[in-house]
Amino acid sequence: MLRDSLTFIDRGLRHSVRSVDALLVAVVLPVVVLLLFVYVFGGAITVGTQYLDYVVPGIIVLCAGYGAAGTSVGVNTDMTTGVIDRFRSLPIAASAVLAGHVVASVARNVVSTSLVLVVALLIGFRPAGGPIAWLGVAGVLLLFMTGISWLAACFGLLARRPETAGAFSFVVMFLPYLSSAFVPTGTMPAALRGIADNQPVTPVIETLRGLMLGGPVGDHGTRALLWCTGFVVVGVVGAAFLFRRRTAP
Amino acid sequence: MTYTIEAVGLLKSYRGHTVLKALDLGIRQGEVFALLGPNGAGKTTAVRILATLLRPDGGTARVAGHDVVTAARQVRAAISLTGQYAAVDELLTGRESLVMMAKLRRLGRREARRRADDLLERFDLTDARDRRVATYSGGMRRRLDLAAGLVSRPRVLFLDEPTTGLDPRSRREVWAAVVDLARSGVTVLLTTQYLEEADHLADRIAVLDHGRVVAEGTAAELKARAGTGTIELFFPDAPTLDLASTTTSGLVDHEKLSLRVPGDGSAHAVRELLNLMVRNGIHVDRLDLHRPTLDEVFLSLTDRALEGV
Ligand SMILES: Nc1ncnc2c1ncn2[C@@H]1O[C@H](COP(=O)(O)OP(=O)(O)O)[C@@H](O)[C@H]1O
Ligand SMILES: [Mg+2]
């Protein structure tokens, strides 16, 4: 299983590098969004600190959504073309193909996140967290991306066609807008604020923000870890179940 | 164990629509066997059951000595499937695809590369090996698909409509590859809608219609079953043709001014027919004999099957 997973990870990475449009969406779009928020909207938003410092964690979480959309489509394409039949006719656990998609998805996210951070630093992002805090950032992000990627795989297994599978990105891209990613939730009307404060993206972003800027993390850290772990568990178990159902002989 | 592929009474239906009605098959070691049938006959369903991808509702099947339901893993170790829709990875190169398949078949990295290169050579893809499959022609994809099924030197090969949708040249390329495989001793079950293809490639043919085998045998045996062929008589003008058509039943062709009468090509049958014409004062210009084609076999067999429903 491990060996086959490695083979499929190799396949997933090669796919990632070669599907140019997906790569552009996953890697270049986040940078564009960063610049857009900082230079176009940023001037009109007051958050108490430099807006760039405020918005970087939100952009990074937004990227995870773009990257995951490609994962849903990739998984669904494998399921709806003859590809999965060929893998299933081999004496291996064909579900290992999902691991390839998920790892490639996380890898794409790592690349786009690094790129966003580099660009942010170039235009004046000044984080204050020490090395331990940055390890924390990496840990939370990896957990979040892994969870989102497994959920994306579930969506790919549920959808009937690749076009439908692509809709996953709408859900994941929408959540950051209804969170503290771009504006503090305190500025929102009460109803929206209730949603924003209690949805998973807000604690993740607040945790990242606290760690990066050296501010307090509070109970956001625990909530972020619980949400992300929940995503991973639900994603893995769900994907295993859906894969079995979809490929039931 | 006399058969390498053996199916007994396979049943399969989807929501009340019966797709396989007690399908029986027996295919011997080293044989190339064709499952011939029109679209929707149940060919893919049969292949998917035999390749462990689909569970039958009833009946049993053994492939390479193992039950396809209870010993799927052992069956998978012995078989290779090239599905109806090419399962090639567009974004990988031909060589990468084969190396990947070889690794999934537990070959080491070096061995995997060597095997991939051997297969690329054998399927005439060496020049294209480092190009993305997305740039391959239909025939090249099919050949790569076949090659991908061979990395493990399977004992049993399933080819589901290997040439459907290919241009004639690509079809011949794939045929050559299959003939080559057959020589190496592997047992092949292929499905096709083309009689010509079954005739060209297969040692034995089963004609599948509405989920049932309606005829089975060598191409020659099937042709013999189709009946006797026809004798075509040509007449000088339309009135003579009309007169002739009242004396014996047959297929009238007003353009060719001919009448096709069932009958084998024996001298006796021809003499009888000509005597009949002479007795009625009908002048016959000339005649042609038509041997039955596999197409006629197919039509007559499937018509019979339809009447039986
Ligand atoms: N998953 C499915 N659900 C419902 N009907 C199916 C399914 N797969 C095949 N069929 C039906 O079964 C019949 C035989 O299909 P198939 O085995 O693909 O035939 P062939 O390969 O000979 O064209 C067709 O009528 C097809 O519509
Ligand atoms: Mg078919």
Side-chain angles (χ1 to χ4, degrees):
Chain A
M1 180 83 183
L2 178 66
R3 206 178 140 178
D4 299 330
S5 300
L6 289 176
T7 305
F8 284 124
I9 288 168
D10 181 54
R11 169 179 185 255
L13 292 176
R14 285 176 202 271
H15 276 204
S16 298
V17 177
R18 300 211 183 137
S19 33
V20 178
D21 40 347
L23 196 67
L24 281 182
V25 169
V27 174
V28 178
L29 200 57
V31 174
V32 174
V33 173
L34 171 74
L35 298 176
L36 195 69
F37 267 94
V38 171
Y39 292 117
V40 180
F41 306 136
I45 307 174
T46 343
V47 291
T49 56
Q50 186 192 194
Y51 188 64
L52 174 63
D53 290 341
Y54 182 87
V55 85
V56 165
I59 303 287
I60 288 173
V61 167
L62 192 65
C63 307
Y66 293 134
T71 312
S72 297
V73 176
V75 167
N76 192 264
T77 305
D78 276 358
M79 302 308 292
T80 48
T81 55
V83 172
I84 197 66
D85 276 358
R86 156 135 298 152
F87 293 148
R88 283 182 61 218
S89 70
L90 299 175
I92 64 167
S95 54
V97 74
L98 298 176
H101 283 289
V102 167
V103 172
S105 166
V106 173
R108 283 194 303 270
N109 269 309
V110 168
V111 172
S112 66
T113 302
S114 311
L115 203 64
V116 165
L117 282 175
V118 168
V119 173
L121 287 170
L122 286 178
I123 62 175
F125 177 48
R126 291 296 167 256
I132 304 287
W134 278 98
L135 271 182
V137 167
V140 171
L141 273 178
L142 278 178
L143 203 59
F144 180 72
M145 290 165 177
T146 308
I148 292 292
S149 300
W150 276 110
L151 291 178
C154 288
F155 209 83
L157 290 166
L158 272 173
R160 288 192 151 260
R161 288 174 302 128
E163 297 84 69
T164 328
F168 179 72
S169 56
F170 287 115
V171 181
V172 190
M173 280 181 331
F174 194 65
L175 279 184
Y177 291 104
L178 259 185
S179 78
S180 64
F182 305 112
V183 292
T185 57
T187 62
M188 299 177 183
L192 277 186
R193 191 177 163 187
I195 300 174
D197 279 340
N198 291 298
Q199 62 118 318
V201 167
T202 297
V204 171
I205 284 176
E206 289 304 321
T207 303
L208 293 174
R209 191 172 282 143
L211 291 170
M212 284 180 180
L213 303 180
V217 171
D219 70 341
H220 287 306
T222 321
R223 283 170 61 207
L225 284 181
L226 282 177
W227 273 113
C228 292
T229 313
F231 283 169
V232 174
V233 172
V234 170
V236 171
V237 173
F241 169 77
L242 291 170
F243 186 85
R244 278 183 79 106
R245 200 184 66 174
R246 184 128 192 185
T247 60
Chain B
M1 187 74 222
T2 42
Y3 292 119
T4 299
I5 303 173
E6 183 177 32
V8 182
L10 285 185
L11 297 172
K12 184 75 195 177
S13 53
Y14 292 105
R15 276 174 249 100
H17 169 55
T18 309
V19 177
L20 294 182
K21 297 168 189 159
L23 180 73
D24 296 323
L25 289 174
I27 301 166
R28 283 182 285 272
Q29 174 73 43
E31 225 177 354
V32 177
F33 190 93
L35 210 50
L36 172 67
N39 225 335
K43 304 182 295 297
T44 298
T45 304
V47 165
R48 284 173 58 86
I49 288 173
L50 294 172
T52 77
L53 299 181
L54 196 64
R55 193 167 300 204
D57 297 337
T60 57
R62 297 173 73 80
V63 172
H66 303 284
D67 188 282
V68 296
V69 175
T70 58
R73 212 179 165 91
Q74 286 89 324
V75 172
R76 288 174 187 169
I79 65 164
S80 144
L81 165 71
T82 297
Q84 179 166 1
Y85 306 99
V88 289
D89 232 318
E90 299 234 320
L91 292 170
L92 298 184
T93 68
R95 187 167 191 250
E96 285 170 341
S97 303
L98 295 184
V99 170
M100 178 183 76
M101 289 304 293
K103 284 184 181 167
L104 293 174
R105 289 286 190 176
R106 298 285 179 278
L107 268 62
R109 183 191 296 255
R110 187 168 308 153
E111 180 60 22
R113 287 196 188 137
R114 185 161 11 164
R115 186 82 186 123
D117 288 338
D118 283 353
L119 285 166
L120 288 163
E121 180 76 46
R122 178 160 160 201
F123 286 91
D124 200 17
L125 291 166
T126 301
D127 291 340
R129 67 177 209 174
D130 293 321
R131 258 168 46 203
R132 281 189 210 178
V133 173
T135 68
Y136 284 20
S137 70
M140 292 165 80
R141 280 165 196 239
R142 268 289 162 186
R143 278 182 283 146
L144 182 68
D145 212 15
L146 280 179
L150 296 175
V151 286
S152 58
R153 302 174 211 274
R155 287 174 56 196
V156 179
L157 196 59
F158 295 104
L159 306 175
D160 194 7
E161 301 202 19
T163 66
T164 299
L166 293 186
D167 58 83
R169 189 177 147 237
S170 304
R171 172 169 303 166
R172 274 193 299 275
E173 289 170 2
V174 171
W175 281 4
V178 174
V179 167
D180 216 36
L181 282 174
R183 268 195 219 112
S184 71
V186 42
T187 307
V188 180
L189 171 59
L190 68 89
T191 78
T192 180
Q193 302 188 33
Y194 308 117
L195 303 140
E196 189 195 359
E197 183 160 293
D199 199 1
H200 185 86
L201 294 176
D203 303 317
R204 277 195 309 139
I205 301 168
V207 181
L208 191 67
D209 192 49
H210 294 286
R212 219 195 302 260
V213 173
V214 293
E216 194 182 322
T218 63
E221 284 165 359
L222 290 180
K223 282 179 192 168
R225 282 187 57 167
T228 51
T230 51
I231 303 164
E232 187 170 20
L233 303 173
F234 293 86
F235 303 96
D237 48 42
T240 318
L241 170 61
D242 290 340
L243 186 57
S245 70
T246 61
T247 62
T248 180
S249 67
L251 199 64
V252 177
D253 186 327
H254 290 287
E255 261 170 45
K256 287 161 76 185
L257 293 177
S258 78
L259 181 69
R260 275 178 94 135
V261 184
D264 59 20
S266 69
H268 174 74
V270 175
R271 187 161 52 235
E272 288 285 293
L273 187 61
L274 289 179
N275 283 345
L276 181 69
M277 295 295 129
V278 170
R279 273 203 303 279
N280 289 285
I282 300 167
H283 177 77
V284 178
D285 269 349
R286 60 189 177 87
L287 61 81
D288 267 355
L289 298 178
H290 295 278
R291 302 293 307 148
T293 64
L294 214 40
D295 270 296
E296 286 162 13
V297 181
F298 190 62
L299 278 174
S300 68
L301 287 170
T302 50
D303 276 344
R304 225 174 289 155
L306 277 171
E307 283 158 18
V309 168

